[in-house]
Amino acid sequence: MDFKLTEEHIMIRDAARDFAKSELLPGVIERDEKQEFPKEQVKKMGELGFLGMMASPEYGGGGMDTVSYVLAMEEISKIDASASVVMSVNNSLVCWGLETFGSAEQKQKYLSKLTTGEALGAFCLSEPEAGSDATSQKTTAIDQGDHYILNGTKNWITNGNSADFYIVIAQTHREKKHKGINAFIVEKDWEGFEVGPKENKLGIRGSDTHSLNFNDVKVPKENRIGEDGFGFKFAMKTLSGGRIGIAAQALGIASGAYELAKNYSKQRKAFGTEICNHQAIAFKLADMHTNIEAARHLVMKAAWDKDNGNNYDLSGAMAKLFASKTAMEVTVEAVQVHGGNGYVKEYHVERLMRDAKITQIYEGTSEIQKIVISRSVLHD
Ligand SMILES: Cc1cc2nc3c(=O)[nH]c(=O)nc-3n(C[C@H](O)[C@H](O)[C@H](O)COP(=O)(O)OP(=O)(O)OC[C@H]3O[C@@H](n4cnc5c(N)ncnc54)[C@H](O)[C@@H]3O)c2cc1C
């Protein structure tokens, strides 16, 4: 067993770290406050290859492994989780889903633009009445011979307004339940497609989350991903890998907050000494560090499983469950270590605490991860 990163991994991690410090840190507080999408920064992420890291070079991707991707996700998330969710959706849901299950024509037409940042993608599964219970899709795609007619509403869609291409899940054969669901690629400027208002969120406020409306949108048949009825399987397979990215996001949020708390505790004095010399604070740091290391091992194991062709449903779910819990606990403690300063924006930890919460909700809530994990261990 070798816990050492390769030179290439270290290079990628350091490049992401440098980018986050130089390009994302300036303005991160203001973007959070104004709910401003990091447009310029995302463009640069595309130019640097952070938006299509695992996609094959044939389609403009970096051809990197999942370990590289999670290392970069962690570094970006330490500084700006709004930017890292854009990265996560584009890499693990949109690019991966298209490359793995899309047709040659779809990859040529869409993937090569998505990997470079020329275009941005969104993944549209959730609906007002279909979140955890994703089989209850109300959006319909009616087969009209050479095209489908799409009608319905999607909720909470990341990159909702910023995306150019949308992967949309919809019900084609209601009687077949989840086996009647399809996934389609929809372009933003198609007639009948409308972006709803932006959500005013607790955290990851720089990312744009919108509802989307589809009113008789004509989708050519060649834009269906996979065989007729493959859509639900497509969504579940894609989300299974996506969870590794969100676990890495949670890990990054936790380690960002921990580093801030550790540094602060070495500078802030109370009762004649630096606060890290009070055991209550030192023990908090010990717990934070231990849990972050445990989360890192779970995240890396899931990434390694994916890279080695192993099933990663279980390891990905465990990584997301534990890393997101750790992100919540560590960020709350990081605020505590900062005392009153933790409660104001300049010190960053209150934002990280708000950002942490979403990692327990999207791409499968913690309760859903426990369902995945318990089913897997009970039927082993
Ligand atoms: C900021 C943000 C960004 C998002 N981005 C996207 C996106 O890009 N694309 C997309 O498709 N979706 C996106 N989502 C939606 C997200 O994936 C859903 O919110 C999530 O899956 C939960 O669904 P729900 O909100 O309908 O909650 P519900 O399913 O209504 O769940 C409510 C509560 O009940 C629990 N629960 C539900 N069923 C069970 C069960 N069987 N057993 C135990 N507990 C259960 C849940 O865990 C939760 O605690 C986003 C959401 C947010 C807030």
Side-chain angles (χ1 to χ4, degrees):
M1 197 176 294
D2 188 357
F3 286 97
K4 266 208 340 259
L5 294 173
T6 64
E7 271 179 32
E8 198 189 338
H9 287 145
I10 293 170
M11 227 170 65
I12 292 161
R13 186 198 62 193
D14 292 352
R17 187 176 289 173
D18 291 347
F19 173 78
K21 282 191 181 146
S22 62
E23 302 288 341
L24 294 172
L25 186 58
V28 66
I29 294 172
E30 292 74 20
R31 289 195 300 276
D32 169 73
E33 215 165 316
K34 295 182 192 155
Q35 300 202 80
E36 195 180 297
F37 185 80
K39 198 168 172 208
E40 283 308 306
Q41 293 81 352
V42 168
K43 193 165 162 268
K44 281 190 188 155
M45 283 166 84
E47 288 162 5
L48 290 170
F50 289 124
L51 294 182
M53 291 185 72
M54 295 172 291
S56 90
E58 192 187 341
Y59 300 107
M64 294 174 211
D65 58 10
T66 317
V67 169
S68 304
Y69 168 58
V70 300
L71 286 168
M73 272 297 294
E74 180 184 350
E75 294 303 324
I76 304 281
S77 307
K78 276 183 191 174
I79 305 283
D80 188 350
S82 294
S84 75
V85 69
V86 177
M87 177 175 162
S88 169
V89 166
N90 204 71
N91 272 285
S92 26
L93 300 186
V94 180
C95 289
W96 187 85
L98 267 181
E99 178 149 28
T100 311
F101 302 111
S103 67
E105 294 74 29
Q106 288 167 356
K107 291 183 209 178
Q108 209 56 53
K109 187 169 177 189
Y110 296 110
L111 185 58
S112 16
K113 290 187 177 146
L114 289 159
T115 52
T116 55
E118 193 184 326
L120 202 59
F123 183 86
C124 317
L125 173 67
S126 302
E127 299 187 357
E129 291 169 72
S132 303
D133 181 8
T135 54
S136 304
Q137 295 286 307
K138 298 273 190 299
T139 299
T140 53
I142 305 301
D143 193 338
Q144 301 284 335
D146 65 342
H147 66 274
Y148 288 88
I149 293 292
L150 204 59
N151 274 292
T153 299
K154 292 291 170 182
N155 244 19
W156 313 109
I157 303 304
T158 301
N159 299 342
N161 193 34
S162 310
D164 304 278
F165 307 139
Y166 299 77
I167 295 182
V168 182
I169 315 295
Q171 183 61 262
T172 302
H173 314 281
R174 192 160 299 287
E175 71 289 354
K176 292 188 187 168
K177 299 183 178 154
H178 70 282
K179 289 188 174 156
I181 290 173
N182 278 308
F184 304 93
I185 307 161
V186 173
E187 297 182 23
K188 190 179 196 173
D189 56 5
W190 284 355
E191 213 180 315
F193 174 74
E194 183 191 62
V195 177
K198 187 171 174 169
E199 302 293 349
N200 186 358
K201 306 192 296 288
L202 171 75
I204 56 164
R205 286 167 59 81
S207 70
D208 65 326
T209 315
H210 290 258
S211 57
L212 305 174
N213 298 315
F214 302 89
N215 303 305
D216 291 332
V217 178
K218 191 173 167 185
V219 183
K221 212 153 219 179
E222 62 264 26
N223 275 34
R224 189 186 72 209
I225 301 173
E227 293 297 306
D228 187 20
F230 181 64
F232 189 71
K233 209 166 177 188
F234 167 84
M236 292 304 112
K237 291 245 176 229
T238 306
L239 281 169
S240 183
R243 279 169 194 154
I244 303 175
I246 299 303
Q249 181 187 44
L251 173 63
I253 294 170
S255 48
Y258 163 73
E259 282 170 22
L260 289 166
K262 187 173 76 174
N263 293 338
Y264 185 83
S265 75
K266 289 181 181 174
Q267 288 156 12
R268 176 74 176 175
K269 285 188 177 164
F271 297 93
T273 184
E274 287 78 14
I275 57 170
C276 63
N277 295 325
H278 299 300
Q279 199 179 55
I281 299 294
F283 278 15
K284 279 189 200 303
L285 294 168
D287 283 340
M288 287 156 107
H289 185 74
T290 306
N291 283 325
I292 288 169
E293 274 305 292
R296 181 169 289 115
H297 282 87
L298 284 172
V299 172
M300 285 298 171
K301 170 63 166 54
W304 182 86
D305 274 342
K306 188 157 178 278
D307 288 335
N308 285 279
N310 302 335
N311 186 307
Y312 49 87
D313 292 340
L314 174 62
S315 54
M318 291 195 300
K320 183 178 184 286
L321 176 70
F322 189 78
S324 59
K325 180 170 175 272
T326 300
M328 239 10 267
E329 289 169 1
V330 166
T331 53
V332 167
E333 288 295 61
V335 170
Q336 193 67 19
V337 169
H338 279 74
N341 283 333
Y343 208 66
V344 295
K345 294 194 186 288
E346 292 97 289
Y347 287 82
H348 297 282
V349 283
E350 65 81 34
R351 186 186 73 258
L352 290 167
M353 184 180 79
R354 288 186 283 106
D355 288 348
K357 186 59 204 169
I358 191 61
T359 64
Q360 294 187 305
I361 297 173
Y362 56 18
E363 299 201 22
T365 62
S366 294
E367 291 76 14
I368 295 302
Q369 304 312 320
K370 286 185 190 180
I371 293 177
V372 173
I373 296 164
S374 57
R375 274 189 192 148
S376 177
V377 295
L378 289 169
H379 300 131
D380 206 2

